[in-house]
Amino acid sequence: MAIDYDEDEDGGRGEGSESGQWKRRLVTWSLAAIGLGLGFLIPYTLYLNHQVSERFGRLTWQIPTRVYARPLELRPGLALDSRTFKTELDAAGYHPGDGAREGSYAQNGGRWKISSRGFNDVDGAVPARRIEVVLSGSRVASVRDAGGKGPLKAARLDPARIATLYGQKQEERRLVRIEEVPELLVTGLQAVEDRDFNHHIGIDFSGMLRAAFKTATGRKQGASTLTQQLARSGLLGIGKEQTWTRKGKEILYALIIDARYEKRDILEAYLNQVYMGQRGSQAIHGVAAASEFWFGRDLRDLNTEQIALLVGIVKGPSAYDPRRHPKAALERRNFALGEFRETNLIDDKEYQRALKAPLGVTETAGSLAPNRFPAYVDLVRRQLARDYPADQLVGAGMSVMTGMSPAAQALAEGAVTRTLKSLDHKTRPPLQAGLVVTDVHNGEVVAVVGSREHSEHGFNRAVEAQRPVGSLLKPFVYLLALATPEQYSLASYIDDSPVTVDLGRGKQWNPGNSDGRSHGSVRMIDALAMSYNQATVRIGMKVAPERIADLIKTLAGIQAEPRPSLILGAVDQSPYAMAQLYQFLASGGQIQPLYAVRGVLDANGRALKRYDTKPAPAQEGDAIAARLITIAGQQTVTSGTAAQLVRDGLGRLNAAGKTGTSNDGRDSWFAGWTGDHLAVVWVGNDQNKETGLYGATGAMRVWSAMFARLPSAPLQVGSKGIDWQWVIGSNTTDADCAGARRMPFVAGFAPQYTPCPAPQPVAEEGEGGGWREWFGLGRDKDDEEQREAPPPPEGQ
């Protein structure tokens, strides 16, 4: 028995020895696995830590470069009406309100209260301020500080954003500091997405339990912390795959981020990184960009319900897209409002009010459109290309400050669209247009239209179309003649009879007038206003085509062969080039380089480069000659080829202008200027086919349609260096002399005085219609309006 027991005991001890060996092996293998795991995990964690430093620590996001319109400068006397003012405010993202909260305005008749936002301009920071503006008679009557500090000489409103220049990624993002974010958005985001954000270590075990409980009660809530969400989108990248490896990596990232960075920095990064929607290929990131995208407002201008909607969208920008799925978005917004109320971020009264409010999203993405004004932005890119390579601009976070006027741009686009539609006819080829509008005071380009479909990208006719300019060049022929006041004045007589120009090698040129008639001896001012070719050629051959070519090269960089045909505009140019040329006249004789870009700011708002330098004052001789041509241009409008403008009701502008038509009516041109603006318009056909349009029946109609609505100061010609005298024949005379006509001369060069002769009831021969025409009391039946611009056939 003892032996049997001993054997059993021995056997038991043998089995116990075998079990001990397995236990030792298990411990060994476990320790080896832990060692291997730690051996892998520690280096891997160090690798992830390095990635966090690279991606999160530097915040190396690609920020798009933004293009802005010019800030509206309000000053007493500025031509501005309520409709245009509202257009400017809407474009800049202002909204109706009490006029006390930043970004809002209140209107009571002609009295406006506006609370502007602070912004950086080319000359430094412009602070936010509350102002009161009074409009009267389509002008700014007064500008005052709404805080009771009295009248202001001027006040600038922050500009509208007109385009975005992206880098390799079509991501829209606007970086904000956490102090720039409304407090309710910061705390509300935590209330909905991560209540224990300030206390957990990057992952939240209690949050996971709470999410499980809410899911069980029918109220779904995610378990990821804000830190995990940031790791997922900012470091891992947004992806659809859900794997244990990816989740583990996300958790490690979150732990490292929380260990390395302050909660404030993590939250700020989240607010700038979070994905908030999609517009085509353009991804919207960050709450600041989302505010513009969904509401067309600055982040600081959001109310409670809009903040709740933004917080709600965070969970799923596609599922809760308020434009596509308004019902789902409303439910999600109201859920966020409930969380705000539950955590005492808002009181019950505000909660009930916000619940009843509409979603309040805009119909479109508004100012976040990549490029709403392709022709203007094309000009911006061309100007910047001289100093900034394309890859240096995109994704650089810079601000490009331009001279665009949103109101002028909108009116120019509308005028082109409406006018060309009215000119469309089955017998006429498809019409296109190019238009450039500038500020006569400084050379800023305020509007550009490159196509009748103004949002169309591609060929920019305002800059790229090269078409014969025709009579648009004539004022510069006369300008050269008037530069020698001892020989020529606007009162000088010019022979408008058939003319022959010897071209050499047995060739001759015999230009004729567009009406096929000669007009005898005519005053220089009438020859220009009526656009007589024969008289102009005689003047041009006297001043020499070489000098004309030199002049237009000096004023606008236009290269032209100095052939006699140049006198009548035989040179192909773009509307932009002609605007540069006419800027000399419109500015009163200054050589003002046109510019679309006022300056470029870096990502911190500091000026990198300025283009809005003041040009040198006009030389005295240039100023006087420009005034004389402007006076002739005003007669073109009152009683010459552009007289339709007066009949259109634009006589109040005292505008000066010049029509132009190329051979066979292929190109219709008009250049006209007021006290504030110059606009050059071309209308024609891309295939260079005949349109049957003259300068006054095509391009000038676009000009008229625009300036009928665009506030602009009347043109006032200065009298410095000008001596106004009454003339009859070739001499000065008395003001009350019958048939006498008041004419401008360069001071010191007026002709000899002659006493008034006997009464002459009939105007003297060759006066171009005499005093009756000058004062608009009668016109010759063969005036230029009938010759150069006959009314179109019925139905056109």
Side-chain angles (χ1 to χ4, degrees):
M1 296 291 295
I3 296 174
D4 290 341
Y5 175 83
D6 288 338
E7 288 178 352
D8 290 340
E9 192 170 62
D10 288 341
R13 284 197 299 271
E15 291 175 3
S17 177
E18 185 79 14
S19 174
Q21 290 178 3
W22 276 108
K23 287 179 181 179
R24 286 193 296 273
R25 289 172 185 171
L26 181 61
V27 169
T28 302
W29 290 343
S30 297
L31 290 174
I34 292 173
L36 287 172
L38 289 174
F40 169 77
L41 187 61
I42 292 174
Y44 184 64
T45 302
L46 292 175
Y47 165 73
L48 293 182
N49 182 63
H50 176 71
Q51 282 198 321
V52 168
S53 298
E54 288 292 317
R55 299 182 188 182
F56 181 85
R58 295 182 187 176
L59 296 179
T60 54
W61 290 317
Q62 191 176 62
I63 311 302
T65 288
R66 297 176 175 87
V67 185
Y68 293 89
R70 59 96 181 91
L72 177 61
E73 183 173 82
L74 299 164
R75 60 184 185 279
L78 176 70
L80 186 67
D81 57 35
S82 291
R83 179 174 57 184
T84 307
F85 193 19
K86 187 176 185 305
T87 298
E88 292 277 351
L89 291 172
D90 291 345
Y94 282 77
H95 53 89
D98 56 8
R101 186 173 181 177
E102 278 193 15
S104 71
Y105 66 87
Q107 179 190 6
N108 183 10
R111 189 177 300 274
W112 299 68
K113 290 184 178 179
I114 305 151
S115 183
S116 72
R117 312 180 189 95
F119 69 102
N120 292 311
D121 203 358
V122 294
D123 56 354
V126 178
R129 70 188 314 168
R130 293 174 56 230
I131 60 174
E132 183 179 276
V133 181
V134 176
L135 304 182
S136 178
S138 296
R139 287 182 174 278
V140 176
S142 65
V143 182
R144 300 182 63 85
D145 186 292
K149 296 182 180 180
L152 300 171
K153 292 182 178 180
R156 272 182 286 179
L157 303 183
D158 47 301
R161 180 167 159 197
I162 62 174
T164 307
L165 309 180
Y166 294 99
Q168 294 178 348
K169 295 182 179 180
Q170 289 286 302
E171 290 185 352
E172 175 57 50
R173 194 194 315 267
R174 173 175 291 182
L175 295 184
V176 290
R177 297 182 179 87
I178 198 166
E179 57 266 23
E180 298 171 330
V181 180
E183 183 179 355
L184 181 59
L185 178 51
V186 176
T187 54
L189 178 68
Q190 295 174 64
V192 175
E193 292 291 325
D194 189 355
R195 290 194 183 180
D196 293 329
F197 173 76
N198 290 316
H199 307 292
H200 61 59
I201 59 173
I203 57 175
D204 184 9
F205 297 106
S206 63
M208 294 178 185
L209 294 175
R210 186 167 55 251
F213 172 76
K214 288 197 173 185
T215 300
T217 58
R219 297 174 63 192
K220 291 184 178 181
Q221 178 175 313
S224 294
T225 65
L226 291 177
T227 315
Q228 285 177 264
Q229 293 178 36
L230 176 61
R232 187 185 310 144
S233 64
L235 278 70
L236 287 171
I238 298 175
K240 293 183 178 179
E241 70 275 13
Q242 297 292 332
T243 64
W244 286 108
T245 301
R246 181 181 171 89
K247 193 66 178 178
K249 197 173 182 181
E250 173 191 308
I251 291 172
L252 287 174
Y253 269 139
L255 290 169
I256 294 169
I257 291 172
D258 192 86
R260 292 197 55 176
Y261 299 101
E262 298 290 334
K263 294 288 186 178
R264 173 190 175 90
D265 297 331
I266 297 170
L267 196 55
E268 184 174 274
Y270 182 93
L271 292 167
N272 285 307
Q273 168 63 27
V274 61
Y275 174 62
M276 296 295 289
Q278 192 81 21
R279 183 183 186 274
S281 61
Q282 177 187 18
I284 310 300
H285 284 272
V287 293
S291 179
E292 291 186 44
F293 179 70
W294 294 116
F295 307 113
R297 290 190 176 191
D298 187 276
L299 189 63
R300 295 166 292 182
D301 300 335
L302 298 183
N303 54 36
T304 299
E305 58 268 23
Q306 291 169 331
I307 289 174
L309 181 56
L310 280 190
V311 171
I313 288 174
V314 165
K315 182 175 177 62
S318 178
Y320 301 111
D321 183 327
R323 296 191 184 111
R324 295 184 178 182
H325 310 295
K327 184 177 180 181
L330 183 64
E331 291 176 355
R332 182 64 185 171
R333 185 204 69 177
N334 291 345
F335 168 77
L337 286 171
E339 299 295 289
F340 291 2
R341 178 69 187 92
E342 182 180 317
T343 51
N344 295 316
L345 297 179
I346 58 175
D347 58 27
D348 190 63
K349 182 179 179 181
E350 178 65 4
Y351 170 65
Q352 295 298 334
R353 183 204 65 77
L355 276 179
K356 299 173 183 176
L359 288 174
V361 297
T362 59
E363 293 184 4
T364 62
S367 63
L368 285 191
N371 184 352
R372 293 180 292 162
F373 309 102
Y376 195 97
V377 175
D378 174 59
L379 185 59
V380 168
R381 287 181 182 274
R382 289 169 186 265
Q383 182 177 332
L384 290 175
R386 299 195 295 264
D387 300 302
Y388 296 95
D391 58 352
Q392 188 176 340
L393 278 176
V394 296
M398 295 189 287
S399 296
V400 179
M401 314 303 288
T402 77
M404 177 197 273
S405 160
Q409 181 70 32
L411 291 171
E413 292 171 353
V416 167
T417 300
R418 293 193 310 273
T419 304
L420 295 197
K421 185 177 180 180
S422 71
L423 292 173
D424 284 338
H425 190 270
K426 61 183 179 181
T427 63
R428 180 172 286 150
L431 295 175
Q432 275 292 354
L435 180 153
V436 177
V437 187
T438 70
D439 186 319
V440 303
H441 305 291
N442 53 30
E444 286 181 359
V445 179
V446 300
V448 179
V449 179
S451 169
R452 68 182 296 167
E453 298 296 334
H454 52 81
S455 61
E456 180 181 273
H457 292 251
F459 187 55
N460 184 356
R461 293 163 188 82
V463 178
E464 297 177 276
Q466 301 287 312
R467 304 303 289 258
V469 302
S471 296
L472 231 57
L473 208 60
K474 287 179 180 176
F476 301 92
V477 176
Y478 287 74
L479 182 75
L480 286 171
L482 293 172
T484 55
E486 67 279 1
Q487 291 181 297
Y488 292 104
S489 73
L490 288 177
S492 299
Y493 283 105
I494 306 297
D495 182 12
D496 186 55
S497 62
V499 60
T500 298
V501 177
D502 186 2
L503 300 178
R505 297 183 179 180
K507 295 182 179 180
Q508 293 182 330
W509 180 42
N510 302 104
N513 288 326
S514 60
D515 62 352
R517 299 180 56 188
S518 298
H519 304 91
S521 184
V522 296
R523 291 198 189 272
M524 202 167 168
I525 192 171
D526 298 323
L528 180 53
M530 307 305 287
S531 203
Y532 293 155
N533 289 339
Q534 293 172 162
T536 303
V537 169
R538 278 192 167 83
I539 296 172
M541 292 307 295
K542 287 284 185 68
V543 301
E546 290 77 11
R547 291 185 62 205
I548 299 170
D550 288 343
L551 176 65
I552 62 177
K553 181 179 179 181
T554 299
L555 298 182
I558 294 174
Q559 299 282 351
E561 291 294 327
R563 292 189 285 259
S565 58
L566 179 63
I567 298 168
L568 298 184
V571 59
D572 294 354
Q573 287 299 315
S574 67
Y576 184 83
M578 296 310 292
Q580 179 64 82
L581 188 60
Y582 269 82
Q583 188 74 14
F584 176 78
L585 301 177
S587 67
Q590 281 187 307
I591 298 179
Q592 289 184 348
L594 298 184
Y595 59 93
V597 180
R598 298 167 51 243
V600 178
L601 312 181
D602 66 14
N604 296 314
R606 294 187 294 263
L608 294 173
K609 190 172 183 65
R610 292 186 64 173
Y611 298 89
D612 60 341
T613 55
K614 291 184 178 180
Q619 296 183 18
E620 184 178 1
D622 291 346
I624 294 171
R627 290 185 193 116
L628 292 173
I629 293 297
T630 298
I631 292 168
Q634 288 177 315
Q635 182 173 324
T636 302
V637 173
T638 57
S639 57
T641 61
Q644 181 61 41
L645 291 178
V646 175
R647 296 193 284 274
D648 289 346
L650 298 181
R652 57 183 168 78
L653 293 175
N654 298 331
K658 184 69 189 77
T659 56
T661 310
S662 67
N663 290 338
D664 302 319
R666 299 175 190 275
D667 302 280
S668 170
W669 289 89
F670 185 71
W673 61 103
T674 68
D676 285 335
H677 300 100
L678 161 72
V680 176
V681 187
W682 167 83
V683 171
N685 175 261
D686 285 344
Q687 284 71 45
N688 198 29
K689 296 180 180 179
E690 295 181 28
T691 65
L693 296 173
Y694 296 83
T697 56
M700 195 181 79
R701 288 182 60 178
V702 175
W703 196 98
S704 180
M706 179 175 61
F707 279 86
R709 302 186 182 188
L710 178 66
S712 194
L715 176 58
Q716 298 178 344
V717 183
S719 59
K720 185 178 180 181
I722 301 293
D723 181 13
W724 285 90
Q725 294 287 340
W726 290 88
V727 300
I728 191 163
S730 298
N731 297 318
T732 59
T733 189
D734 301 312
D736 57 356
C737 186
R741 185 172 173 182
R742 191 166 182 257
M743 301 289 289
F745 297 89
V746 176
F749 290 92
Q752 183 179 354
Y753 169 78
T754 298
C756 183
Q760 300 176 25
V762 180
E764 57 183 303
E765 184 70 21
E767 278 292 292
W771 64 273
R772 290 182 60 80
E773 179 179 308
W774 176 249
F775 288 106
L777 299 178
R779 298 183 181 87
D780 186 85
K781 66 178 181 179
D782 293 312
D783 68 9
E784 183 69 8
E785 186 63 28
Q786 291 176 316
R787 293 179 300 94
E788 181 172 330
E794 185 176 351
Q796 289 193 344

